[in-house]
Amino acid sequence: MIVDPQVQFEENVLDMIEQSPIGAVPHTPTYADALTRLYAKQQVYHDADHKDGHVTARSLAKLPHFQAENLAAFAAGEIKDTELESNDSIFTRYVESLSLDYRKRAETFHLKVAGKPVHHRTKQGDQPAIHDPVHSLFLVPGTGPNRGLPGNYLHGSVLELSLDPAAWSLHLHDSDDGNAVFDTSSLAECMAKLEEVFESAPFHLNELEALGFKIV
């Protein structure tokens, strides 16, 4: 069997990145060319945890994703939205999955990632409480125009946009302003798309266009 020398070298580069504690390779034209090809193939991404480091897609593929543990039960109508695992709890599970070196920096994103707009829920006289739209956090390995969160994660939400007519949306973000959106009128379709996202991870946000997302 004949092995393409270029492919073999790229495999060596992937191994080198994974064996390096900072995802580094030598700064030579040969390695730079190999990295350019690997980035184009979406086999390597910029490492969120090391300024000049890289991380391989195959290593990110081994990472867990995070969502409300009872999200499927909610989608099936088995529990109320108020019983969904909280965003704070989901975020805490994500942070605890990281090595100790990255947890403190991850916590700086707590409000941005797990925060939720405050909605008026109190009664006015005999009027019922105003419905608080669903806003359920999930995190998945990947990156975007900007680097991901510590551990190389993208964060997103299952969002209820409207009750009448029904409207749901998936939003995915990197650590800054990278954003991908999928809108639908069906919670079932929203959940199916979320499962497709999980099955496709890791990825760059721009790759989600192939799954019907809008990059905004």
Side-chain angles (χ1 to χ4, degrees):
M1 179 178 178
I2 299 176
V3 179
D4 184 335
Q6 179 172 292
V7 172
Q8 184 61 59
F9 185 74
E10 290 173 0
E11 283 295 319
N12 292 338
V13 172
L14 292 174
D15 291 340
M16 185 176 295
I17 290 171
E18 291 173 354
Q19 293 166 10
S20 168
I22 59 172
V25 299
H27 295 285
T28 68
T30 301
Y31 281 94
D33 289 344
L35 283 173
T36 297
R37 295 191 299 270
L38 290 168
Y39 271 95
K41 296 175 183 178
Q42 308 289 359
Q43 294 185 31
V44 168
Y45 303 112
H46 293 292
D47 188 357
D49 301 316
H50 304 98
K51 182 178 179 181
D52 298 315
H54 317 280
V55 62
T56 67
R58 67 190 187 190
S59 65
L60 295 186
K62 301 174 184 178
L63 299 179
H65 63 253
F66 300 91
Q67 63 175 328
E69 292 185 330
N70 54 358
L71 184 59
F74 164 69
E78 298 171 359
I79 63 170
K80 298 178 181 179
D81 60 324
T82 53
E83 298 175 81
L84 276 168
E85 181 183 8
S86 71
N87 289 345
D88 283 342
S89 175
I90 298 166
F91 187 83
T92 295
R93 288 195 287 113
Y94 147 69
V95 172
E96 291 177 347
S97 77
L98 303 175
S99 67
L100 294 176
D101 293 340
Y102 306 143
R103 291 183 184 181
K104 185 174 181 179
R105 190 164 69 87
E107 283 289 359
T108 66
F109 290 95
H110 193 145
L111 181 60
K112 178 178 181 179
V113 173
K116 182 176 181 179
V118 176
H119 297 280
H120 181 60
R121 295 182 60 122
T122 59
K123 293 183 179 181
Q124 294 292 333
D126 295 329
Q127 297 298 315
I130 296 174
H131 175 72
D132 194 353
V134 173
H135 174 268
S136 188
L137 174 67
F138 64 90
L139 299 106
V140 62
T143 189
N146 310 288
R147 295 172 193 256
L149 300 177
N152 293 289
Y153 275 87
L154 298 168
H155 65 98
S157 300
V158 176
L159 297 171
E160 183 182 25
L161 302 179
S162 172
L163 286 173
D164 185 21
W168 292 84
S169 183
L170 289 181
H171 285 219
L172 268 162
H173 310 268
D174 56 26
S175 63
D176 198 349
D177 58 359
N179 190 15
V181 179
F182 177 82
D183 293 327
T184 177
S185 60
S186 164
L187 174 57
E189 185 177 356
C190 192
M191 291 296 295
K193 185 61 62 174
L194 179 60
E195 186 61 30
E196 192 174 4
V197 166
F198 289 153
E199 291 175 351
S200 301
F203 46 74
H204 189 287
L205 277 180
N206 291 338
E207 295 179 77
L208 289 179
E209 286 185 309
L211 298 185
F213 281 75
K214 295 183 295 183
I215 309 301
V216 297

